[in-house]
Amino acid sequence: KKNEFKKNSLIEIKDYILDKNERTLKKNKKILKITEKEINFICILNTSKFPLSKKYILENIWLYSSGTETHTIETHIYRLRQKIKETFGDHNFIKNTKDGYSF
């Protein structure tokens, strides 16, 4: 059971390993600590076949009501991108188009 639990907590995303138990994103020997909200965002982004809109992210990850005007999404994604860029040198981990956010 312990191995199965650990296996379910490790997710491959691009060249990275997301460890949900340790709350880390790993690539090669570098490790980045991330928050629970960042983990949820990355997991949903990873399983989506289509870019996620700001509205979808607000309602389904941040649990804001529809119609809420806020820059929460942009701020959190900006900070996550900065952390990834500083740790791994990756400028394109999260992409943004007119359709939304994707890998």
Side-chain angles (χ1 to χ4, degrees), residues 63-96:
L63 305 176
Y64 281 47
S65 62
S66 63
T68 302
E69 286 296 317
T70 179
H71 291 286
T72 297
I73 302 305
E74 293 91 339
T75 302
H76 280 278
I77 293 173
Y78 171 80
R79 288 182 182 150
L80 179 58
R81 282 176 168 158
Q82 289 302 107
K83 287 167 45 172
I84 291 168
K85 186 172 103 177
E86 289 170 9
T87 303
F88 304 110
D90 188 343
H91 298 264
N92 298 307
F93 184 74
I94 301 168
K95 296 176 183 150
N96 186 18

Side-chain angles (χ1 to χ4, degrees), residues 49-65:
K49 293 182 173 133
F50 305 100
L52 300 179
S53 70
K54 178 182 170 184
K55 181 179 189 272
Y56 179 89
I57 295 166
L58 273 173
E59 292 174 2
N60 295 283
I61 299 172
W62 270 264
L63 305 176
Y64 281 47
S65 62

Side-chain angles (χ1 to χ4, degrees), residues 11-68:
I11 301 170
E12 288 185 44
I13 301 168
K14 296 180 163 188
D15 299 338
Y16 298 87
I17 300 291
L18 175 65
D19 188 325
K20 292 168 40 177
N21 290 339
E22 293 181 7
R23 294 185 182 174
T24 58
L25 190 62
K26 303 173 184 179
K27 182 176 179 182
N28 301 324
K29 295 187 189 254
K30 294 182 180 179
I31 299 172
L32 173 64
K33 284 281 196 188
I34 56 177
T35 67
E36 190 72 30
K37 191 74 75 178
E38 291 168 337
I39 289 169
N40 293 340
F41 174 67
I42 290 170
C43 286
I44 290 174
L45 203 61
N46 188 50
T47 58
S48 177
K49 293 182 173 133
F50 305 100
L52 300 179
S53 70
K54 178 182 170 184
K55 181 179 189 272
Y56 179 89
I57 295 166
L58 273 173
E59 292 174 2
N60 295 283
I61 299 172
W62 270 264
L63 305 176
Y64 281 47
S65 62
S66 63
T68 302

